[in-house]
Amino acid sequence: MAAMAKPPTDNAQDRAGSKRISALAELWPFIRPYRLMLAAAFVALTLTAMVSLVLPLAVRRVVDNFEGGATPLLKQYFSAALIVVGLLALGTGLRYYLVTRLGERVVADIRKAVFDRMVTMSPAFYENIMTGEVLSRITTDTTLILSVIGSSVSVALRNLFIFVGGLFLLFFTSAKLAALVLLIVPVVIVPIVVLGRRLRKLGRENQDWIANSSGSASEALLSVQTVQAFTQEVRTALKFSDVTERSFDSAKRRILTRAMMTVIVIFMIFSGVVGVLWVGAQDVANSIMTVGELVQFVIYAVMVAGAVGALTEIWGELQRAAGATERLAELLNAKDTVADAASPVDAPEMKNGAIVFDDVTFSYPSRQNMPALNGISLTVAPGETIALVGPSGAGKSTVVQLLMRFFDPQSGKITLAGTDLRDMARDDFRKQIAIVPQDAVVFADTARENIRFGRPDATDAEVEAAAKAAAAHDFIVALENGYDSYLGERGVMLSGGQKQRIAIARAILRDAPILLLDEATSALDAESERLVQGAVEKLAQDRTTLIIAHRLATIKQADRIVVFEDGQIVEQGTHDDLVAKGGLYARLAKLQFTEGSAAA
């Protein structure tokens, strides 16, 4: 958590310095399927802009005829004005509906696309990014994009049309006054461009800090029991406060820059308009133009000035959205170091196939100079039960990680039934593997659905049979709603042993030819362990099984025990053979069994 004192991404500075508003083009693939809705919104937007530009013409007619007292004409002009106002209201409502609906639809698609991509990324990807940051991008960054698609872009286009149309009508009304107005434009554009680039950079930095804050909060809340057990609530809160305050400081700089840009632009625009109006007033006094023409010019000038002011506001939003789009595009375009082959081969039938590790060397991405496995070779025959033992950090769990192809080895290869894992689609061969991980995972769902996660098409009877085999049935039926009891986030309603039995029941229900048990009974009491051990032994009879265990009593009946130390295989054999050899396994066995007997 201490690492949270800086923006989380290695190349954040480079990205923040990017000034490409064109990053918003990354949104087009998500907008393209809704081209008809976009076109309809564009028509409604154009209609409202045109109607807005017609109104000053009507006002001019009213003012000039009002001076002449032409009452019948006035009635006609006011009637026409009401029709124009009605069209404006209808067009505006239609534009709002279409654009807002389009924004919601596109953002929903983006969120699904990003999540679909993230849920398939290998664990290697998550060694370099916090899940809290990913969640921040899916939520906060997409909210910014929703603001842009559902509001800012349409408002920007409308104001752009009004600016261009209004400028043309300014020349139509008075070329002299319009030419004076044009002299203001370069003065206004300079601060928009210069400060806009600054806004873009600050917007990206601010989003990084927000994601950083979300990552910090997610990490702390997911580990809240540990935080409280070690009475680190205040320290953890201070760390989160520090990151949040840095996010606020970044937001302050962004807000200040945007406020400065707004002040400068509005002052330039309206002071220029005042000067031009003074010249126009002189023309009216000298009968060069009518009062109605001056009023028309004033309205158009205000509309053009307001459009420019709105565009400066929206420019800042577009800058922030461009940064958010870049961040989401990074996730969508992220390269996974573990990927399926371009043309994967079909996974063979694993029931009669061997598992082979051939001279495998592997280091985790975050620890490249510390090999977790160093040139290991291991063959597991079909139907064989192999136990992997050794000190913590010896490489046992890494074997399971590589066999599931969560990571790829730096050298050597792993084959299932003679086929290299890298030649098969991951989904294809993983369907033939059931795993009980070291940290039992329980979802925020019912007990029944947690077990059924192993095989979604399983019947209720099959779910209950698996729970009975895993010694989980009794405690499940004792819950308030039995199998339909909600287990809470991460199984907060259950003990560690109960969560492990749910995970074991899930693996039993999967009924796969390969079974991986990573410390599957470590949190069980003696009686539950004996019951589960019996179920596991029965399950392993016609399956290829790899068992990782520190408690050697649970693996004495394995067909073969493989002993790991410092990422290498140092011994292999049955329990009795290894004890007789007097090596590492014998020392571990002596410590456990002798101390266990003494303690008893």
Side-chain angles (χ1 to χ4, degrees), residues 206-220:
N206 188 214
Q207 288 305 112
D208 278 342
W209 278 115
I210 290 172
N212 213 352
S213 178
S214 297
S216 176
S218 174
E219 182 183 47

Side-chain angles (χ1 to χ4, degrees), residues 22 167 246 251 264 286 357 409 419 453 476 530:
S22 60
L167 205 57
R246 287 171 182 263
I264 293 170
N286 295 323
F357 283 73
T419 305
F453 196 80
I476 291 175
R530 181 176 56 79

Side-chain angles (χ1 to χ4, degrees), residues 299-374:
I299 295 173
Y300 281 131
V302 170
M303 289 175 71
V304 169
V308 173
L311 286 171
T312 62
E313 288 280 324
I314 294 164
W315 183 255
E317 291 296 327
L318 293 177
Q319 293 280 356
R320 291 189 71 198
T325 302
E326 281 186 345
R327 287 161 52 82
L328 288 166
E330 284 173 5
L331 296 183
L332 286 170
N333 300 324
K335 301 297 182 186
D336 198 348
T337 55
V338 179
D340 290 338
S343 300
V345 301
D346 292 336
E349 174 57 52
M350 304 296 183
K351 189 169 185 178
N352 300 314
I355 300 171
V356 178
F357 283 73
D358 184 7
D359 195 23
V360 170
T361 295
F362 170 73
S363 298
Y364 286 97
S366 58
R367 305 188 297 275
Q368 292 285 356
N369 60 340
M370 297 173 59
L373 294 176
N374 193 359

Side-chain angles (χ1 to χ4, degrees), residues 582-597:
L584 175 59
Y585 182 85
R587 294 199 302 274
L588 294 173
K590 182 179 180 181
L591 283 171
Q592 286 198 24
F593 296 129
T594 304
E595 289 183 359
S597 299

Side-chain angles (χ1 to χ4, degrees), residues 202-451:
L202 290 173
R204 176 60 200 242
E205 178 188 293
N206 188 214
Q207 288 305 112
D208 278 342
W209 278 115
I210 290 172
N212 213 352
S213 178
S214 297
S216 176
S218 174
E219 182 183 47
L221 294 177
L222 288 174
S223 309
V224 69
Q225 291 185 6
T226 303
V227 171
Q228 294 175 359
F230 286 88
T231 61
Q232 294 297 313
E233 297 94 331
V234 173
R235 182 167 173 265
T236 303
L238 285 174
K239 286 185 177 180
F240 176 74
S241 175
D242 177 61
V243 176
T244 304
E245 284 300 316
R246 287 171 182 263
S247 173
F248 174 67
D249 290 341
S250 174
K252 277 198 305 184
R253 291 193 294 273
R254 175 180 56 79
I255 293 167
L256 179 61
T257 302
R258 183 167 174 177
M260 288 172 57
M261 183 172 74
T262 302
V263 169
I264 293 170
V265 170
I266 290 178
F267 177 77
M268 293 291 187
I269 291 172
F270 285 97
S271 60
V273 168
V274 169
V276 170
L277 287 181
W278 184 83
V279 175
Q282 301 304 310
D283 287 348
V284 171
N286 295 323
S287 299
I288 297 174
M289 65 189 306
T290 66
V291 174
E293 287 175 329
L294 180 60
V295 170
Q296 177 180 312
F297 186 89
V298 169
I299 295 173
Y300 281 131
V302 170
M303 289 175 71
V304 169
V308 173
L311 286 171
T312 62
E313 288 280 324
I314 294 164
W315 183 255
E317 291 296 327
L318 293 177
Q319 293 280 356
R320 291 189 71 198
T325 302
E326 281 186 345
R327 287 161 52 82
L328 288 166
E330 284 173 5
L331 296 183
L332 286 170
N333 300 324
K335 301 297 182 186
D336 198 348
T337 55
V338 179
D340 290 338
S343 300
V345 301
D346 292 336
E349 174 57 52
M350 304 296 183
K351 189 169 185 178
N352 300 314
I355 300 171
V356 178
F357 283 73
D358 184 7
D359 195 23
V360 170
T361 295
F362 170 73
S363 298
Y364 286 97
S366 58
R367 305 188 297 275
Q368 292 285 356
N369 60 340
M370 297 173 59
L373 294 176
N374 193 359
I376 72 158
S377 294
L378 175 66
T379 300
V380 184
E384 187 178 15
T385 297
I386 297 290
L388 310 181
V389 302
S392 296
K396 307 181 299 297
S397 293
T398 302
V399 169
V400 171
Q401 298 271 311
L402 294 180
L403 187 54
M404 291 297 295
R405 205 180 168 221
F406 292 146
F407 300 89
D408 279 335
Q410 279 79 40
S411 64
K413 65 178 181 178
I414 304 166
T415 61
L416 290 178
T419 305
D420 194 319
L421 292 186
R422 287 171 287 203
D423 294 334
M424 297 180 279
R426 287 168 292 174
D427 282 355
D428 202 6
F429 73 79
R430 285 175 183 168
K431 288 175 182 176
Q432 302 191 58
I433 301 175
I435 182 171
V436 180
Q438 190 168 2
D439 296 320
V441 175
V442 175
F443 300 99
D445 207 334
T446 63
R448 189 187 311 278
E449 292 308 312
N450 263 284
I451 296 172

